[in-house]
mmCIF file of all heavy atoms in Angstrom:
data_model
loop_
_atom_site.group_PDB
_atom_site.id
_atom_site.type_symbol
_atom_site.label_atom_id
_atom_site.label_comp_id
_atom_site.label_asym_id
_atom_site.label_seq_id
_atom_site.Cartn_x
_atom_site.Cartn_y
_atom_site.Cartn_z
ATOM 1 N N ARG B 417 -7.303 56.536 89.505
ATOM 2 C CA ARG B 417 -8.070 57.377 88.593
ATOM 3 C C ARG B 417 -9.304 56.656 88.064
ATOM 4 O O ARG B 417 -10.391 57.209 88.002
ATOM 5 C CB ARG B 417 -7.205 57.856 87.439
ATOM 6 C CG ARG B 417 -7.943 58.754 86.468
ATOM 7 C CD ARG B 417 -7.049 59.164 85.342
ATOM 8 N NE ARG B 417 -7.776 60.030 84.433
ATOM 9 C CZ ARG B 417 -7.309 60.483 83.267
ATOM 10 N NH1 ARG B 417 -6.070 60.147 82.914
ATOM 11 N NH2 ARG B 417 -8.032 61.262 82.508
ATOM 12 N N GLY B 418 -9.173 55.385 87.712
ATOM 13 C CA GLY B 418 -10.292 54.634 87.123
ATOM 14 C C GLY B 418 -11.059 53.797 88.119
ATOM 15 O O GLY B 418 -11.909 53.002 87.700
ATOM 16 N N ASN B 419 -10.757 53.864 89.422
ATOM 17 C CA ASN B 419 -11.404 53.041 90.432
ATOM 18 C C ASN B 419 -12.487 53.769 91.196
ATOM 19 O O ASN B 419 -12.844 53.382 92.300
ATOM 20 C CB ASN B 419 -10.346 52.529 91.425
ATOM 21 C CG ASN B 419 -9.294 51.667 90.716
ATOM 22 O OD1 ASN B 419 -9.642 51.005 89.729
ATOM 23 N ND2 ASN B 419 -8.075 51.662 91.243
ATOM 24 N N ASN B 420 -12.961 54.881 90.694
ATOM 25 C CA ASN B 420 -14.018 55.621 91.373
ATOM 26 C C ASN B 420 -15.325 54.869 91.192
ATOM 27 O O ASN B 420 -15.780 54.691 90.063
ATOM 28 C CB ASN B 420 -14.123 57.027 90.823
ATOM 29 C CG ASN B 420 -15.051 57.894 91.663
ATOM 30 O OD1 ASN B 420 -15.632 57.453 92.656
ATOM 31 N ND2 ASN B 420 -15.178 59.159 91.243
ATOM 32 N N PRO B 421 -15.938 54.408 92.309
ATOM 33 C CA PRO B 421 -17.183 53.634 92.141
ATOM 34 C C PRO B 421 -18.333 54.482 91.639
ATOM 35 O O PRO B 421 -19.280 53.970 91.071
ATOM 36 C CB PRO B 421 -17.443 53.103 93.554
ATOM 37 C CG PRO B 421 -16.753 54.064 94.446
ATOM 38 C CD PRO B 421 -15.544 54.544 93.707
ATOM 39 N N ASN B 422 -18.251 55.764 91.889
ATOM 40 C CA ASN B 422 -19.358 56.632 91.446
ATOM 41 C C ASN B 422 -19.254 57.004 89.985
ATOM 42 O O ASN B 422 -20.137 57.636 89.451
ATOM 43 C CB ASN B 422 -19.383 57.913 92.288
ATOM 44 C CG ASN B 422 -19.665 57.620 93.756
ATOM 45 O OD1 ASN B 422 -20.429 56.689 94.048
ATOM 46 N ND2 ASN B 422 -19.058 58.414 94.643
ATOM 47 N N ARG B 423 -18.141 56.668 89.356
ATOM 48 C CA ARG B 423 -17.955 57.002 87.936
ATOM 49 C C ARG B 423 -18.307 55.782 87.096
ATOM 50 O O ARG B 423 -17.509 55.242 86.355
ATOM 51 C CB ARG B 423 -16.522 57.434 87.698
ATOM 52 C CG ARG B 423 -16.320 58.096 86.351
ATOM 53 C CD ARG B 423 -14.864 58.387 86.137
ATOM 54 N NE ARG B 423 -14.677 59.006 84.851
ATOM 55 C CZ ARG B 423 -13.514 59.128 84.238
ATOM 56 N NH1 ARG B 423 -12.410 58.677 84.827
ATOM 57 N NH2 ARG B 423 -13.455 59.697 83.069
ATOM 58 N N ASN B 424 -19.449 55.324 87.229
ATOM 59 C CA ASN B 424 -19.891 54.124 86.514
ATOM 60 C C ASN B 424 -20.961 54.530 85.525
ATOM 61 O O ASN B 424 -21.951 55.164 85.894
ATOM 62 C CB ASN B 424 -20.457 53.102 87.506
ATOM 63 C CG ASN B 424 -20.722 51.763 86.827
ATOM 64 O OD1 ASN B 424 -20.460 51.618 85.654
ATOM 65 N ND2 ASN B 424 -21.254 50.815 87.592
ATOM 66 N N ASN B 425 -20.728 54.152 84.336
ATOM 67 C CA ASN B 425 -21.685 54.524 83.300
ATOM 68 C C ASN B 425 -22.986 53.747 83.411
ATOM 69 O O ASN B 425 -23.962 54.072 82.745
ATOM 70 C CB ASN B 425 -21.090 54.332 81.913
ATOM 71 C CG ASN B 425 -19.907 55.245 81.688
ATOM 72 O OD1 ASN B 425 -19.865 56.330 82.282
ATOM 73 N ND2 ASN B 425 -18.958 54.820 80.865
ATOM 74 N N ASN B 426 -22.937 52.649 84.229
ATOM 75 C CA ASN B 426 -24.130 51.827 84.368
ATOM 76 C C ASN B 426 -24.952 52.226 85.585
ATOM 77 O O ASN B 426 -25.648 51.413 86.201
ATOM 78 C CB ASN B 426 -23.754 50.350 84.479
ATOM 79 C CG ASN B 426 -23.038 49.866 83.218
ATOM 80 O OD1 ASN B 426 -23.392 50.317 82.123
ATOM 81 N ND2 ASN B 426 -22.089 48.959 83.371
ATOM 82 N N ASN B 427 -24.850 53.458 86.005
ATOM 83 C CA ASN B 427 -25.591 53.938 87.149
ATOM 84 C C ASN B 427 -27.073 53.938 86.796
ATOM 85 O O ASN B 427 -27.493 54.615 85.865
ATOM 86 C CB ASN B 427 -25.136 55.339 87.539
ATOM 87 C CG ASN B 427 -25.728 55.799 88.857
ATOM 88 O OD1 ASN B 427 -26.508 55.079 89.495
ATOM 89 N ND2 ASN B 427 -25.355 57.010 89.274
ATOM 90 N N PRO B 428 -27.890 53.213 87.541
ATOM 91 C CA PRO B 428 -29.309 53.130 87.165
ATOM 92 C C PRO B 428 -30.060 54.426 87.402
ATOM 93 O O PRO B 428 -31.094 54.653 86.804
ATOM 94 C CB PRO B 428 -29.831 52.009 88.040
ATOM 95 C CG PRO B 428 -28.924 51.990 89.207
ATOM 96 C CD PRO B 428 -27.563 52.368 88.710
ATOM 97 N N ASN B 429 -29.567 55.227 88.267
ATOM 98 C CA ASN B 429 -30.279 56.479 88.576
ATOM 99 C C ASN B 429 -29.830 57.644 87.708
ATOM 100 O O ASN B 429 -30.233 58.768 87.938
ATOM 101 C CB ASN B 429 -30.084 56.843 90.048
ATOM 102 C CG ASN B 429 -30.644 55.780 90.976
ATOM 103 O OD1 ASN B 429 -31.682 55.185 90.664
ATOM 104 N ND2 ASN B 429 -29.967 55.569 92.111
ATOM 105 N N ARG B 430 -28.944 57.354 86.761
ATOM 106 C CA ARG B 430 -28.389 58.473 85.969
ATOM 107 C C ARG B 430 -29.424 59.095 85.063
ATOM 108 O O ARG B 430 -29.530 60.307 84.953
ATOM 109 C CB ARG B 430 -27.196 57.989 85.153
ATOM 110 C CG ARG B 430 -26.551 59.081 84.327
ATOM 111 C CD ARG B 430 -25.366 58.530 83.588
ATOM 112 N NE ARG B 430 -24.728 59.606 82.848
ATOM 113 C CZ ARG B 430 -23.679 59.434 82.041
ATOM 114 N NH1 ARG B 430 -23.139 58.222 81.906
ATOM 115 N NH2 ARG B 430 -23.177 60.459 81.398
ATOM 116 N N ASN B 431 -30.216 58.248 84.414
ATOM 117 C CA ASN B 431 -31.196 58.755 83.443
ATOM 118 C C ASN B 431 -32.613 58.805 84.014
ATOM 119 O O ASN B 431 -33.557 59.030 83.265
ATOM 120 C CB ASN B 431 -31.196 57.880 82.193
ATOM 121 C CG ASN B 431 -29.857 57.916 81.482
ATOM 122 O OD1 ASN B 431 -29.214 58.956 81.485
ATOM 123 N ND2 ASN B 431 -29.464 56.792 80.902
ATOM 124 N N ASN B 432 -32.712 58.537 85.331
ATOM 125 C CA ASN B 432 -34.042 58.549 85.922
ATOM 126 C C ASN B 432 -34.375 59.858 86.609
ATOM 127 O O ASN B 432 -35.394 59.946 87.296
ATOM 128 C CB ASN B 432 -34.142 57.390 86.940
ATOM 129 C CG ASN B 432 -34.008 56.037 86.250
ATOM 130 O OD1 ASN B 432 -34.401 55.901 85.085
ATOM 131 N ND2 ASN B 432 -33.515 55.036 86.984
ATOM 132 N N ASN B 433 -33.505 60.841 86.488
ATOM 133 C CA ASN B 433 -33.776 62.126 87.127
ATOM 134 C C ASN B 433 -34.798 62.889 86.284
ATOM 135 O O ASN B 433 -34.555 63.209 85.131
ATOM 136 C CB ASN B 433 -32.495 62.924 87.251
ATOM 137 C CG ASN B 433 -32.679 64.180 88.097
ATOM 138 O OD1 ASN B 433 -33.781 64.490 88.549
ATOM 139 N ND2 ASN B 433 -31.581 64.879 88.303
#
Side-chain angles (χ1 to χ4, degrees):
R417 181 181 180 186
N419 299 329
N420 190 359
N422 296 325
R423 193 185 180 195
N424 189 1
N425 296 331
N426 298 324
N427 189 359
N429 299 324
R430 181 178 182 183
N431 297 325
N432 296 329
N433 189 357

